[in-house]
PDB file of all heavy atoms in Angstrom:
ATOM      1  N   GLN A   1     116.426  73.790 116.115  1.00 92.00           N
ATOM      2  CA  GLN A   1     117.321  74.229 115.011  1.00 92.00           C
ATOM      3  C   GLN A   1     116.522  74.940 113.933  1.00 92.00           C
ATOM      4  O   GLN A   1     116.464  74.465 112.768  1.00 92.00           O
ATOM      5  CB  GLN A   1     118.098  72.961 114.487  1.00 92.00           C
ATOM      6  CG  GLN A   1     119.025  73.134 113.390  1.00 92.00           C
ATOM      7  CD  GLN A   1     120.341  73.875 113.726  1.00 92.00           C
ATOM      8  OE1 GLN A   1     120.477  74.053 114.834  1.00 92.00           O
ATOM      9  NE2 GLN A   1     120.929  74.399 112.631  1.00 92.00           N
ATOM     10  N   VAL A   2     115.929  76.086 114.213  1.00 94.00           N
ATOM     11  CA  VAL A   2     115.192  76.884 113.281  1.00 94.00           C
ATOM     12  C   VAL A   2     116.254  77.676 112.420  1.00 94.00           C
ATOM     13  O   VAL A   2     116.926  78.559 112.966  1.00 94.00           O
ATOM     14  CB  VAL A   2     114.179  77.786 113.898  1.00 94.00           C
ATOM     15  CG1 VAL A   2     113.391  78.604 112.839  1.00 94.00           C
ATOM     16  CG2 VAL A   2     113.166  76.938 114.637  1.00 94.00           C
ATOM     17  N   PRO A   3     116.426  77.368 111.091  1.00 93.00           N
ATOM     18  CA  PRO A   3     117.391  78.054 110.429  1.00 93.00           C
ATOM     19  C   PRO A   3     117.096  79.525 109.761  1.00 93.00           C
ATOM     20  O   PRO A   3     117.985  80.281 109.426  1.00 93.00           O
ATOM     21  CB  PRO A   3     117.750  77.044 109.239  1.00 93.00           C
ATOM     22  CG  PRO A   3     116.365  76.426 108.972  1.00 93.00           C
ATOM     23  CD  PRO A   3     115.693  76.370 110.311  1.00 93.00           C
ATOM     24  N   ASN A   4     115.724  79.758 109.818  1.00 95.00           N
ATOM     25  CA  ASN A   4     115.309  80.934 109.148  1.00 95.00           C
ATOM     26  C   ASN A   4     114.669  81.994 110.185  1.00 95.00           C
ATOM     27  O   ASN A   4     113.826  81.758 110.872  1.00 95.00           O
ATOM     28  CB  ASN A   4     114.257  80.606 108.144  1.00 95.00           C
ATOM     29  CG  ASN A   4     113.964  81.695 107.143  1.00 95.00           C
ATOM     30  OD1 ASN A   4     114.120  82.863 107.417  1.00 95.00           O
ATOM     31  ND2 ASN A   4     113.305  81.422 106.087  1.00 95.00           N
ATOM     32  N   ILE A   5     115.417  83.196 110.199  1.00 95.00           N
ATOM     33  CA  ILE A   5     114.986  84.150 111.192  1.00 95.00           C
ATOM     34  C   ILE A   5     113.533  84.609 110.882  1.00 95.00           C
ATOM     35  O   ILE A   5     112.872  85.081 111.834  1.00 95.00           O
ATOM     36  CB  ILE A   5     115.914  85.394 111.133  1.00 95.00           C
ATOM     37  CG1 ILE A   5     115.595  86.327 112.358  1.00 95.00           C
ATOM     38  CG2 ILE A   5     115.858  86.073 109.863  1.00 95.00           C
ATOM     39  CD1 ILE A   5     115.788  85.756 113.672  1.00 95.00           C
ATOM     40  N   ARG A   6     113.068  84.580 109.631  1.00 95.00           N
ATOM     41  CA  ARG A   6     111.741  85.072 109.390  1.00 95.00           C
ATOM     42  C   ARG A   6     110.654  84.095 110.066  1.00 95.00           C
ATOM     43  O   ARG A   6     109.659  84.618 110.506  1.00 95.00           O
ATOM     44  CB  ARG A   6     111.436  85.015 107.799  1.00 95.00           C
ATOM     45  CG  ARG A   6     112.126  86.122 107.071  1.00 95.00           C
ATOM     46  CD  ARG A   6     111.738  86.256 105.716  1.00 95.00           C
ATOM     47  NE  ARG A   6     112.101  85.042 104.920  1.00 95.00           N
ATOM     48  CZ  ARG A   6     113.232  84.832 104.436  1.00 95.00           C
ATOM     49  NH1 ARG A   6     114.249  85.648 104.474  1.00 95.00           N
ATOM     50  NH2 ARG A   6     113.424  83.690 103.674  1.00 95.00           N
ATOM     51  N   ASN A   7     111.024  82.815 110.240  1.00 94.00           N
ATOM     52  CA  ASN A   7     110.076  81.912 110.999  1.00 94.00           C
ATOM     53  C   ASN A   7     110.050  82.317 112.443  1.00 94.00           C
ATOM     54  O   ASN A   7     109.034  82.264 112.992  1.00 94.00           O
ATOM     55  CB  ASN A   7     110.707  80.534 110.864  1.00 94.00           C
ATOM     56  CG  ASN A   7     110.728  79.848 109.571  1.00 94.00           C
ATOM     57  OD1 ASN A   7     111.449  78.879 109.222  1.00 94.00           O
ATOM     58  ND2 ASN A   7     109.988  80.417 108.630  1.00 94.00           N
ATOM     59  N   VAL A   8     111.159  82.763 113.019  1.00 94.00           N
ATOM     60  CA  VAL A   8     111.176  83.175 114.345  1.00 94.00           C
ATOM     61  C   VAL A   8     110.309  84.401 114.545  1.00 94.00           C
ATOM     62  O   VAL A   8     109.381  84.365 115.523  1.00 94.00           O
ATOM     63  CB  VAL A   8     112.559  83.537 114.786  1.00 94.00           C
ATOM     64  CG1 VAL A   8     112.651  84.135 116.358  1.00 94.00           C
ATOM     65  CG2 VAL A   8     113.467  82.277 114.758  1.00 94.00           C
ATOM     66  N   ARG A   9     110.458  85.401 113.720  1.00 95.00           N
ATOM     67  CA  ARG A   9     109.560  86.493 113.878  1.00 95.00           C
ATOM     68  C   ARG A   9     108.179  86.316 113.704  1.00 95.00           C
ATOM     69  O   ARG A   9     107.281  86.769 114.536  1.00 95.00           O
ATOM     70  CB  ARG A   9     110.023  87.702 112.890  1.00 95.00           C
ATOM     71  CG  ARG A   9     109.466  88.997 113.153  1.00 95.00           C
ATOM     72  CD  ARG A   9     110.214  90.077 112.480  1.00 95.00           C
ATOM     73  NE  ARG A   9     109.834  91.424 113.112  1.00 95.00           N
ATOM     74  CZ  ARG A   9     110.678  92.314 113.557  1.00 95.00           C
ATOM     75  NH1 ARG A   9     111.952  92.051 113.561  1.00 95.00           N
ATOM     76  NH2 ARG A   9     110.172  93.482 114.118  1.00 95.00           N
ATOM     77  N   SER A  10     107.753  85.496 112.702  1.00 94.00           N
ATOM     78  CA  SER A  10     106.413  85.143 112.467  1.00 94.00           C
ATOM     79  C   SER A  10     105.825  84.357 113.686  1.00 94.00           C
ATOM     80  O   SER A  10     104.676  84.617 114.163  1.00 94.00           O
ATOM     81  CB  SER A  10     106.170  84.225 111.315  1.00 94.00           C
ATOM     82  OG  SER A  10     106.662  84.960 110.114  1.00 94.00           O
ATOM     83  N   GLY A  11     106.572  83.410 114.263  1.00 94.00           N
ATOM     84  CA  GLY A  11     106.116  82.594 115.389  1.00 94.00           C
ATOM     85  C   GLY A  11     105.922  83.439 116.636  1.00 94.00           C
ATOM     86  O   GLY A  11     104.888  83.301 117.355  1.00 94.00           O
ATOM     87  N   VAL A  12     106.864  84.462 116.835  1.00 96.00           N
ATOM     88  CA  VAL A  12     106.690  85.323 118.048  1.00 96.00           C
ATOM     89  C   VAL A  12     105.451  86.278 117.910  1.00 96.00           C
ATOM     90  O   VAL A  12     104.831  86.504 118.834  1.00 96.00           O
ATOM     91  CB  VAL A  12     107.956  86.064 118.202  1.00 96.00           C
ATOM     92  CG1 VAL A  12     107.870  87.113 119.423  1.00 96.00           C
ATOM     93  CG2 VAL A  12     109.161  85.204 118.574  1.00 96.00           C
ATOM     94  N   LEU A  13     105.171  86.691 116.675  1.00 96.00           N
ATOM     95  CA  LEU A  13     104.077  87.506 116.380  1.00 96.00           C
ATOM     96  C   LEU A  13     102.744  86.847 116.784  1.00 96.00           C
ATOM     97  O   LEU A  13     101.845  87.281 117.413  1.00 96.00           O
ATOM     98  CB  LEU A  13     104.025  88.039 114.957  1.00 96.00           C
ATOM     99  CG  LEU A  13     102.947  88.909 114.536  1.00 96.00           C
ATOM    100  CD1 LEU A  13     102.934  90.187 115.442  1.00 96.00           C
ATOM    101  CD2 LEU A  13     102.928  89.228 112.985  1.00 96.00           C
ATOM    102  N   GLU A  14     102.736  85.530 116.298  1.00 96.00           N
ATOM    103  CA  GLU A  14     101.543  84.694 116.585  1.00 96.00           C
ATOM    104  C   GLU A  14     101.435  84.513 118.146  1.00 96.00           C
ATOM    105  O   GLU A  14     100.251  84.598 118.740  1.00 96.00           O
ATOM    106  CB  GLU A  14     101.577  83.404 115.858  1.00 96.00           C
ATOM    107  CG  GLU A  14     100.318  82.593 116.048  1.00 96.00           C
ATOM    108  CD  GLU A  14     100.452  81.143 115.388  1.00 96.00           C
ATOM    109  OE1 GLU A  14     101.604  80.684 115.083  1.00 96.00           O
ATOM    110  OE2 GLU A  14      99.385  80.567 115.235  1.00 96.00           O
ATOM    111  N   ALA A  15     102.540  84.204 118.748  1.00 96.00           N
ATOM    112  CA  ALA A  15     102.513  83.961 120.193  1.00 96.00           C
ATOM    113  C   ALA A  15     101.994  85.076 120.934  1.00 96.00           C
ATOM    114  O   ALA A  15     101.242  85.164 121.950  1.00 96.00           O
ATOM    115  CB  ALA A  15     103.844  83.527 120.691  1.00 96.00           C
ATOM    116  N   CYS A  16     102.438  86.315 120.603  1.00 97.00           N
ATOM    117  CA  CYS A  16     101.933  87.656 121.196  1.00 97.00           C
ATOM    118  C   CYS A  16     100.344  87.813 121.115  1.00 97.00           C
ATOM    119  O   CYS A  16      99.764  88.302 122.066  1.00 97.00           O
ATOM    120  CB  CYS A  16     102.648  88.727 120.558  1.00 97.00           C
ATOM    121  SG  CYS A  16     104.357  88.916 120.995  1.00 97.00           S
ATOM    122  N   GLN A  17      99.888  87.407 120.071  1.00 97.00           N
ATOM    123  CA  GLN A  17      98.423  87.414 119.800  1.00 97.00           C
ATOM    124  C   GLN A  17      97.632  86.612 120.704  1.00 97.00           C
ATOM    125  O   GLN A  17      96.639  86.889 121.418  1.00 97.00           O
ATOM    126  CB  GLN A  17      97.904  87.265 118.422  1.00 97.00           C
ATOM    127  CG  GLN A  17      98.524  88.216 117.399  1.00 97.00           C
ATOM    128  CD  GLN A  17      98.087  89.638 117.639  1.00 97.00           C
ATOM    129  OE1 GLN A  17      97.141  89.891 118.402  1.00 97.00           O
ATOM    130  NE2 GLN A  17      98.822  90.668 117.103  1.00 97.00           N
ATOM    131  N   PHE A  18      98.216  85.348 121.038  1.00 97.00           N
ATOM    132  CA  PHE A  18      97.643  84.387 121.930  1.00 97.00           C
ATOM    133  C   PHE A  18      97.765  85.064 123.386  1.00 97.00           C
ATOM    134  O   PHE A  18      96.914  84.833 124.134  1.00 97.00           O
ATOM    135  CB  PHE A  18      98.379  83.118 121.858  1.00 97.00           C
ATOM    136  CG  PHE A  18      97.769  82.088 120.878  1.00 97.00           C
ATOM    137  CD1 PHE A  18      98.124  82.126 119.639  1.00 97.00           C
ATOM    138  CD2 PHE A  18      96.804  81.199 121.171  1.00 97.00           C
ATOM    139  CE1 PHE A  18      97.609  81.346 118.578  1.00 97.00           C
ATOM    140  CE2 PHE A  18      96.221  80.325 120.273  1.00 97.00           C
ATOM    141  CZ  PHE A  18      96.619  80.408 118.958  1.00 97.00           C
ATOM    142  N   TYR A  19      99.084  85.437 123.731  1.00 98.00           N
ATOM    143  CA  TYR A  19      99.307  86.116 124.974  1.00 98.00           C
ATOM    144  C   TYR A  19      98.235  87.224 125.233  1.00 98.00           C
ATOM    145  O   TYR A  19      97.577  87.248 126.318  1.00 98.00           O
ATOM    146  CB  TYR A  19     100.584  86.652 124.995  1.00 98.00           C
ATOM    147  CG  TYR A  19     101.168  87.229 126.455  1.00 98.00           C
ATOM    148  CD1 TYR A  19     101.814  86.438 127.217  1.00 98.00           C
ATOM    149  CD2 TYR A  19     100.926  88.531 126.732  1.00 98.00           C
ATOM    150  CE1 TYR A  19     102.190  86.946 128.452  1.00 98.00           C
ATOM    151  CE2 TYR A  19     101.265  89.098 127.949  1.00 98.00           C
ATOM    152  CZ  TYR A  19     101.939  88.264 128.827  1.00 98.00           C
ATOM    153  OH  TYR A  19     102.386  88.748 130.018  1.00 98.00           O
ATOM    154  N   ALA A  20      98.102  88.049 124.316  1.00 98.00           N
ATOM    155  CA  ALA A  20      96.981  89.107 124.358  1.00 98.00           C
ATOM    156  C   ALA A  20      95.646  88.642 124.636  1.00 98.00           C
ATOM    157  O   ALA A  20      94.785  89.134 125.328  1.00 98.00           O
ATOM    158  CB  ALA A  20      97.072  90.117 123.242  1.00 98.00           C
ATOM    159  N   GLY A  21      95.319  87.578 123.959  1.00 97.00           N
ATOM    160  CA  GLY A  21      94.047  86.916 124.086  1.00 97.00           C
ATOM    161  C   GLY A  21      93.782  86.421 125.426  1.00 97.00           C
ATOM    162  O   GLY A  21      92.736  86.445 126.067  1.00 97.00           O
ATOM    163  N   LEU A  22      94.794  85.734 126.100  1.00 98.00           N
ATOM    164  CA  LEU A  22      94.662  85.244 127.449  1.00 98.00           C
ATOM    165  C   LEU A  22      94.545  86.359 128.494  1.00 98.00           C
ATOM    166  O   LEU A  22      93.808  86.228 129.443  1.00 98.00           O
ATOM    167  CB  LEU A  22      95.907  84.421 127.854  1.00 98.00           C
ATOM    168  CG  LEU A  22      95.848  83.078 127.057  1.00 98.00           C
ATOM    169  CD1 LEU A  22      97.165  82.279 127.190  1.00 98.00           C
ATOM    170  CD2 LEU A  22      94.683  82.136 127.407  1.00 98.00           C
ATOM    171  N   VAL A  23      95.190  87.549 128.128  1.00 98.00           N
ATOM    172  CA  VAL A  23      95.065  88.770 129.129  1.00 98.00           C
ATOM    173  C   VAL A  23      93.631  89.088 128.934  1.00 98.00           C
ATOM    174  O   VAL A  23      93.016  89.607 130.045  1.00 98.00           O
ATOM    175  CB  VAL A  23      96.045  89.798 128.655  1.00 98.00           C
ATOM    176  CG1 VAL A  23      95.725  91.118 129.432  1.00 98.00           C
ATOM    177  CG2 VAL A  23      97.523  89.355 129.002  1.00 98.00           C
ATOM    178  N   ALA A  24      93.073  89.188 127.833  1.00 97.00           N
ATOM    179  CA  ALA A  24      91.704  89.687 127.602  1.00 97.00           C
ATOM    180  C   ALA A  24      90.685  88.668 128.368  1.00 97.00           C
ATOM    181  O   ALA A  24      89.656  89.131 128.771  1.00 97.00           O
ATOM    182  CB  ALA A  24      91.347  89.699 126.140  1.00 97.00           C
ATOM    183  N   GLU A  25      91.142  87.415 128.530  1.00 97.00           N
ATOM    184  CA  GLU A  25      90.172  86.479 129.211  1.00 97.00           C
ATOM    185  C   GLU A  25      90.400  86.678 130.736  1.00 97.00           C
ATOM    186  O   GLU A  25      89.609  86.069 131.481  1.00 97.00           O
ATOM    187  CB  GLU A  25      90.593  85.040 128.952  1.00 97.00           C
ATOM    188  CG  GLU A  25      90.246  84.631 127.575  1.00 97.00           C
ATOM    189  CD  GLU A  25      88.678  84.624 127.190  1.00 97.00           C
ATOM    190  OE1 GLU A  25      88.090  84.046 128.144  1.00 97.00           O
ATOM    191  OE2 GLU A  25      88.275  85.105 126.326  1.00 97.00           O
ATOM    192  N   GLY A  26      91.152  87.620 131.177  1.00 97.00           N
ATOM    193  CA  GLY A  26      91.301  87.853 132.667  1.00 97.00           C
ATOM    194  C   GLY A  26      92.507  87.250 133.419  1.00 97.00           C
ATOM    195  O   GLY A  26      92.737  87.428 134.525  1.00 97.00           O
ATOM    196  N   ALA A  27      93.377  86.524 132.652  1.00 98.00           N
ATOM    197  CA  ALA A  27      94.614  85.881 133.262  1.00 98.00           C
ATOM    198  C   ALA A  27      95.613  86.988 133.414  1.00 98.00           C
ATOM    199  O   ALA A  27      95.776  87.839 132.500  1.00 98.00           O
ATOM    200  CB  ALA A  27      95.136  84.836 132.277  1.00 98.00           C
ATOM    201  N   PRO A  28      96.243  86.962 134.484  1.00 98.00           N
ATOM    202  CA  PRO A  28      97.286  88.120 134.685  1.00 98.00           C
ATOM    203  C   PRO A  28      98.550  87.985 133.823  1.00 98.00           C
ATOM    204  O   PRO A  28      99.168  88.889 133.447  1.00 98.00           O
ATOM    205  CB  PRO A  28      97.653  87.890 136.223  1.00 98.00           C
ATOM    206  CG  PRO A  28      97.397  86.491 136.553  1.00 98.00           C
ATOM    207  CD  PRO A  28      96.140  86.130 135.718  1.00 98.00           C
ATOM    208  N   MET A  29      98.924  86.823 133.369  1.00 98.00           N
ATOM    209  CA  MET A  29     100.106  86.465 132.682  1.00 98.00           C
ATOM    210  C   MET A  29     101.250  87.099 133.260  1.00 98.00           C
ATOM    211  O   MET A  29     101.406  87.212 134.408  1.00 98.00           O
ATOM    212  CB  MET A  29      99.811  86.896 131.200  1.00 98.00           C
ATOM    213  CG  MET A  29      98.557  86.169 130.627  1.00 98.00           C
ATOM    214  SD  MET A  29      98.492  84.366 130.656  1.00 98.00           S
ATOM    215  CE  MET A  29      99.783  83.935 129.577  1.00 98.00           C
ATOM    216  N   GLY A  30     102.329  87.434 132.447  1.00 98.00           N
ATOM    217  CA  GLY A  30     103.551  87.984 132.925  1.00 98.00           C
ATOM    218  C   GLY A  30     104.729  87.306 132.392  1.00 98.00           C
ATOM    219  O   GLY A  30     105.930  87.890 132.485  1.00 98.00           O
ATOM    220  N   TYR A  31     104.679  86.074 131.810  1.00 98.00           N
ATOM    221  CA  TYR A  31     105.783  85.433 131.310  1.00 98.00           C
ATOM    222  C   TYR A  31     105.462  84.836 129.892  1.00 98.00           C
ATOM    223  O   TYR A  31     104.430  84.199 129.652  1.00 98.00           O
ATOM    224  CB  TYR A  31     106.172  84.207 132.178  1.00 98.00           C
ATOM    225  CG  TYR A  31     106.752  84.503 133.542  1.00 98.00           C
ATOM    226  CD1 TYR A  31     105.802  84.837 134.652  1.00 98.00           C
ATOM    227  CD2 TYR A  31     108.077  84.630 133.903  1.00 98.00           C
ATOM    228  CE1 TYR A  31     106.265  85.169 135.838  1.00 98.00           C
ATOM    229  CE2 TYR A  31     108.497  84.899 135.063  1.00 98.00           C
ATOM    230  CZ  TYR A  31     107.580  85.183 136.112  1.00 98.00           C
ATOM    231  OH  TYR A  31     108.042  85.543 137.292  1.00 98.00           O
ATOM    232  N   LEU A  32     106.390  85.128 128.941  1.00 98.00           N
ATOM    233  CA  LEU A  32     106.286  84.648 127.498  1.00 98.00           C
ATOM    234  C   LEU A  32     107.405  83.635 127.241  1.00 98.00           C
ATOM    235  O   LEU A  32     108.580  84.292 127.105  1.00 98.00           O
ATOM    236  CB  LEU A  32     106.207  85.758 126.554  1.00 98.00           C
ATOM    237  CG  LEU A  32     106.039  85.361 125.106  1.00 98.00           C
ATOM    238  CD1 LEU A  32     104.821  84.465 124.868  1.00 98.00           C
ATOM    239  CD2 LEU A  32     105.974  86.596 124.222  1.00 98.00           C
ATOM    240  N   ASP A  33     107.115  82.371 127.224  1.00 98.00           N
ATOM    241  CA  ASP A  33     108.258  81.390 127.012  1.00 98.00           C
ATOM    242  C   ASP A  33     108.239  81.011 125.428  1.00 98.00           C
ATOM    243  O   ASP A  33     107.236  80.441 124.998  1.00 98.00           O
ATOM    244  CB  ASP A  33     108.029  80.214 127.916  1.00 98.00           C
ATOM    245  CG  ASP A  33     109.183  79.173 127.794  1.00 98.00           C
ATOM    246  OD1 ASP A  33     109.911  79.255 126.828  1.00 98.00           O
ATOM    247  OD2 ASP A  33     109.293  78.321 128.664  1.00 98.00           O
ATOM    248  N   LEU A  34     109.235  81.353 124.767  1.00 96.00           N
ATOM    249  CA  LEU A  34     109.272  81.114 123.247  1.00 96.00           C
ATOM    250  C   LEU A  34     110.055  79.837 122.979  1.00 96.00           C
ATOM    251  O   LEU A  34     110.462  79.511 121.888  1.00 96.00           O
ATOM    252  CB  LEU A  34     110.045  82.291 122.698  1.00 96.00           C
ATOM    253  CG  LEU A  34     109.077  83.593 122.810  1.00 96.00           C
ATOM    254  CD1 LEU A  34     109.969  84.796 122.471  1.00 96.00           C
ATOM    255  CD2 LEU A  34     107.823  83.541 122.043  1.00 96.00           C
ATOM    256  N   GLY A  35     110.326  79.036 124.044  1.00 94.00           N
ATOM    257  CA  GLY A  35     110.899  77.643 123.740  1.00 94.00           C
ATOM    258  C   GLY A  35     112.214  77.689 123.221  1.00 94.00           C
ATOM    259  O   GLY A  35     112.954  78.635 123.298  1.00 94.00           O
ATOM    260  N   GLY A  36     112.542  76.670 122.483  1.00 93.00           N
ATOM    261  CA  GLY A  36     113.943  76.427 121.902  1.00 93.00           C
ATOM    262  C   GLY A  36     113.900  76.989 120.474  1.00 93.00           C
ATOM    263  O   GLY A  36     112.971  77.670 120.046  1.00 93.00           O
ATOM    264  N   GLY A  37     114.795  76.516 119.645  1.00 93.00           N
ATOM    265  CA  GLY A  37     114.877  76.813 118.223  1.00 93.00           C
ATOM    266  C   GLY A  37     116.049  77.668 117.789  1.00 93.00           C
ATOM    267  O   GLY A  37     116.362  77.561 116.569  1.00 93.00           O
TER     268      GLY A  37
END
């Protein structure tokens, strides 16, 4: 129940940086699960 859209955008931006970091570590990745909210 996240009421503020700015929280969503900030959280997704942070998640993308983690995703990119795992790709840099050699993981193939391919799925980004942003949970509920």
Side-chain angles (χ1 to χ4, degrees):
Q1 181 66 17
V2 178
N4 192 342
I5 190 63
R6 290 189 297 275
N7 297 157
V8 174
R9 193 160 194 126
S10 297
V12 174
L13 180 61
E14 183 185 17
C16 287
Q17 297 299 341
F18 274 87
Y19 185 93
L22 290 170
V23 170
E25 289 295 314
M29 304 307 288
Y31 294 82
L32 178 58
D33 186 340
L34 297 165

